[in-house]
Amino acid sequence: MNLTQFRKQYETLIQNEMTSLIDSLAIPVSLKEAMQYSLQAGGKRIRPILLLAVVEEFGIEHPDALKVAAAIEMIHTYSLIHDDLPSMDDDDLRRGMPTNHVVFGEALAILAGDALLTYSFGIVSRLEHISSDDKIRLIDLMSVSSGAEGMVGGQVLDIEGEEKQLSLEELEKVHRLKTGALLTYSILAGGILAQASAEEMMALSRFGEHLGLAFQIQDDILDVTGTSEELGKTAGKDESSEKSTYPSILTLPKAKEKLDFHASEALKALESLNRELPLLRGLTDLIVQRKN
């Protein structure tokens, strides 16, 4: 199966899994609608697809993989709902649709994000086809990557960096945490499900770290070069918020060079696995070349 076929098949399966999981909850209708609204808004599903690609390329058919993938996308979606709030990035467009708080109000948007985050941990805790040790590994690593030591910590640094000129090292730290931590977790979670060795997990971690930086650099570039219609969100938001970005610190040509460097390092990490990995290589190219 090539990457296009793989993505098409699993994007549908991921969406169906998330819809089913939320529909199974006995919760207020308004909360369920707000949760489903953002989950059904589309998106690239890069994080869950990365997890499923690792499992596939290691030759494993794990019955719990789709649930873990859905949980990761729920965490990512919660972060977008909160990121768009007036107290954060104050955006009214996400994935080409009005943001959650625009449709449902700020209070319900906050609670929908909270619900998606907490439910994701419940999904992983109830997995049935995995050892208790591996389940704990998944939950522990999920808490680190999505919490204060990872994504949330990165979001705080991002807010504190507004209207300041960050150094390249400071900006890289923001992106390693805000974007890279959850993306790397997706890859490592796939490794855990696929029973990857310690050495293989180290290679997957290096791959994720460089891929996460490449992802964010391309985001910074697209914020400068793309339109709101192409991006599905407000273009030029970083500049209007006076945020430091790779293009603003390095210039656009140098930012593209940095993008190529991290993409190359990600591919080198894959080479050290000594496996045929067409899906992961293809996803690396997709992240570097994407237009939204």
Side-chain angles (χ1 to χ4, degrees):
M1 188 186 305
N2 64 35
L3 180 59
T4 300
Q5 295 169 327
F6 186 83
R7 289 183 66 204
K8 184 176 181 180
Q9 175 181 331
Y10 279 103
E11 282 171 4
T12 300
L13 291 174
I14 292 162
Q15 185 62 59
N16 291 343
E17 184 70 19
M18 292 191 299
T19 299
S20 176
L21 286 166
I22 300 301
D23 279 346
S24 71
L25 296 175
I27 59 176
V29 172
S30 57
L31 178 59
K32 185 176 290 190
E33 288 178 349
M35 294 167 73
Q36 293 282 30
Y37 175 82
S38 290
L39 289 175
Q40 293 175 2
K44 296 174 286 295
R45 311 301 192 202
I46 289 292
R47 291 155 190 83
I49 290 291
L50 278 166
L51 180 150
L52 294 166
V54 171
V55 173
E56 175 81 12
E57 308 237 77
F58 273 69
I60 303 294
E61 292 185 13
H62 201 295
D64 285 331
L66 197 57
K67 280 188 169 59
V68 181
I72 290 171
E73 187 65 11
M74 287 183 190
I75 292 176
H76 176 56
T77 301
Y78 123 78
S79 75
L80 300 182
I81 293 173
H82 283 194
D83 204 40
D84 290 332
L85 290 168
S87 58
M88 298 274 281
D89 273 0
D90 192 15
D91 215 330
D92 58 5
L93 190 67
R94 173 68 68 175
R95 292 171 173 171
M97 298 172 61
T99 46
N100 198 289
H101 70 271
V102 170
V103 177
F104 296 96
E106 287 184 52
L108 193 52
I110 291 169
L111 293 170
D114 292 344
L116 288 169
L117 172 63
T118 50
Y119 186 37
S120 66
F121 283 86
I123 291 168
V124 177
S125 72
R126 300 182 195 112
L127 298 177
E128 298 178 351
H129 306 282
I130 187 172
S131 71
S132 295
D133 285 347
D134 282 346
K135 191 183 295 186
I136 290 170
R137 288 175 72 196
L138 285 173
I139 294 171
D140 180 47
L141 197 54
M142 178 184 280
S143 72
V144 171
S145 64
S146 63
E149 299 165 275
M151 182 174 64
V152 172
Q155 289 171 319
V156 170
L157 292 178
D158 189 41
I159 291 170
E160 292 178 347
E162 290 183 7
E163 302 181 18
K164 295 179 182 177
Q165 184 63 46
L166 299 182
S167 68
L168 184 59
E169 183 179 19
E170 289 171 330
L171 180 62
E172 187 172 290
K173 183 177 181 181
V174 172
H175 292 334
R176 283 186 185 278
L177 297 176
K178 183 180 178 182
T179 303
L182 189 62
L183 192 146
T184 300
Y185 172 70
S186 306
I187 294 163
L188 293 179
I192 291 170
L193 294 174
Q195 296 294 299
S197 67
E199 185 177 335
E200 289 171 328
M201 289 292 283
M202 288 178 64
L204 289 172
S205 181
R206 290 196 304 274
F207 170 62
E209 288 170 9
H210 286 290
L211 191 66
L213 286 170
F215 187 100
Q216 186 58 55
I217 293 169
Q218 180 67 343
D219 251 16
D220 286 0
I221 291 170
L222 290 173
D223 190 69
V224 175
T225 63
T227 65
S228 297
E229 290 72 24
E230 290 170 333
L231 300 177
K233 58 184 180 181
T234 306
K237 193 69 177 180
D238 291 336
E239 184 178 0
S240 64
S241 300
E242 297 185 57
K243 286 186 178 182
S244 294
T245 65
Y246 279 85
S248 70
I249 291 176
L250 297 175
T251 73
L252 186 58
K254 291 291 185 182
K256 290 179 178 179
E257 288 180 15
K258 201 70 171 174
L259 170 65
D260 291 340
F261 167 77
H262 286 295
S264 175
E265 290 299 306
L267 292 173
K268 286 180 183 177
L270 290 182
E271 288 173 9
S272 69
L273 288 166
N274 295 317
R275 292 173 178 267
E276 293 293 329
L277 303 168
L279 295 176
L280 293 175
R281 292 178 186 278
L283 284 164
T284 302
D285 290 340
L286 174 69
I287 284 172
V288 171
Q289 299 168 9
R290 65 196 168 90
K291 301 301 180 185
N292 60 25

